[in-house]
Amino acid sequence: MADYRDVYAHHAERYDALVSHEDHAGNLARVLAEIAPGVALDIVETGAGTGRVSRILAPRARSLRAFDAAPAMIAVATSRLAEWSQATFGVASHDALPVEDASADLAIEGWAFGHALSWNPTGWRDDLRRHVGELDRVTRAGGLLVLVETQGTGVETPFAEGHSLEPFHAFVTTELGFAHRSIRTDYAFATVDEAAETLGFFFGERMSTRVRERAWTIVPECTGIYWRTR
């Protein structure tokens, strides 16, 4: 499996190519519109990466302020969303967003907070409390906090075969009080070879082998959406 920090720091374009194949059915956009309806929203995003969630939200934003800790990722996001003048991007950590208090209708992270479990195995719960606390800080009363995290790639049901983020799911839905919903965000590729090579880059040789053995061009993925009102 790839060193994710190295990917984010040095392979942003290749990462963006990977996620461009994700959620070919558009389920994430549909569910986000149901959970956080409306237009002309002030949105704050952390862990924005190359802008895969930003691209969904920008058309509904009055302002979109998006941040990531990796400058290379933010550079790609800035380029990809250049047409959206209401979207601005910057480098910042999850618990130090350069945003004023109570200024967002929606505060969101995507596929970012879950890294705490592997990057800080003994202190990840404290990390999550701080990260969610920062989203609370920037959100107006009555606004919405949303977390988006994987529940397994290469599986058809959430946490099938076990998954490292099962403790994350339990913690945010009990200790932190988030409602949740699971959706499919399957990847679509033109060929099995493309699927195996593209996913293998990020998820490792085991995933590449699995794709080839099952001759997948549509690769299943489960994603959890977690939300609570400020």
Side-chain angles (χ1 to χ4, degrees), residues 32-141:
L32 287 178
E34 293 173 5
I35 293 169
V39 295
L41 300 174
D42 292 318
I43 301 169
V44 171
E45 181 184 1
T46 186
T50 59
R52 60 173 156 174
V53 175
S54 310
R55 285 171 240 191
I56 294 172
L57 296 175
R60 297 199 290 127
R62 174 170 56 191
S63 67
L64 170 60
R65 292 167 288 176
F67 305 93
D68 196 275
M73 301 286 269
I74 286 297
V76 173
T78 301
S79 174
R80 296 289 188 270
L81 280 93
E83 66 183 291
W84 299 103
S85 60
Q86 70 271 43
T88 58
F89 296 88
V91 176
S93 62
H94 300 315
D95 50 4
L97 300 175
V99 174
E100 60 271 25
D101 295 354
S103 61
D105 302 304
L106 169 63
I108 187 168
E109 68 88 17
W111 293 275
F113 287 4
H115 283 307
L117 278 78
S118 58
W119 291 350
N120 187 8
T122 61
W124 64 267
R125 292 174 181 84
D126 291 335
D127 286 349
L128 288 183
R129 287 190 183 96
R130 284 197 307 275
H131 299 342
V132 170
E134 185 71 344
L135 296 186
D136 269 326
R137 180 188 69 79
V138 304
T139 304
R140 298 181 177 115

Side-chain angles (χ1 to χ4, degrees), residues 113-184:
F113 287 4
H115 283 307
L117 278 78
S118 58
W119 291 350
N120 187 8
T122 61
W124 64 267
R125 292 174 181 84
D126 291 335
D127 286 349
L128 288 183
R129 287 190 183 96
R130 284 197 307 275
H131 299 342
V132 170
E134 185 71 344
L135 296 186
D136 269 326
R137 180 188 69 79
V138 304
T139 304
R140 298 181 177 115
L144 199 67
L145 281 66
V146 176
L147 317 179
V148 182
E149 292 292 343
T150 185
Q151 295 182 341
T153 302
V155 296
E156 298 186 4
T157 58
F159 305 122
E161 305 173 24
H163 194 277
S164 61
L165 288 197
E166 286 187 84
F168 174 97
H169 175 86
F171 183 71
V172 300
T173 57
T174 56
E175 296 293 324
L176 300 185
F178 282 80
H180 67 95
R181 182 170 172 182
S182 296
I183 63 171
R184 289 282 291 272

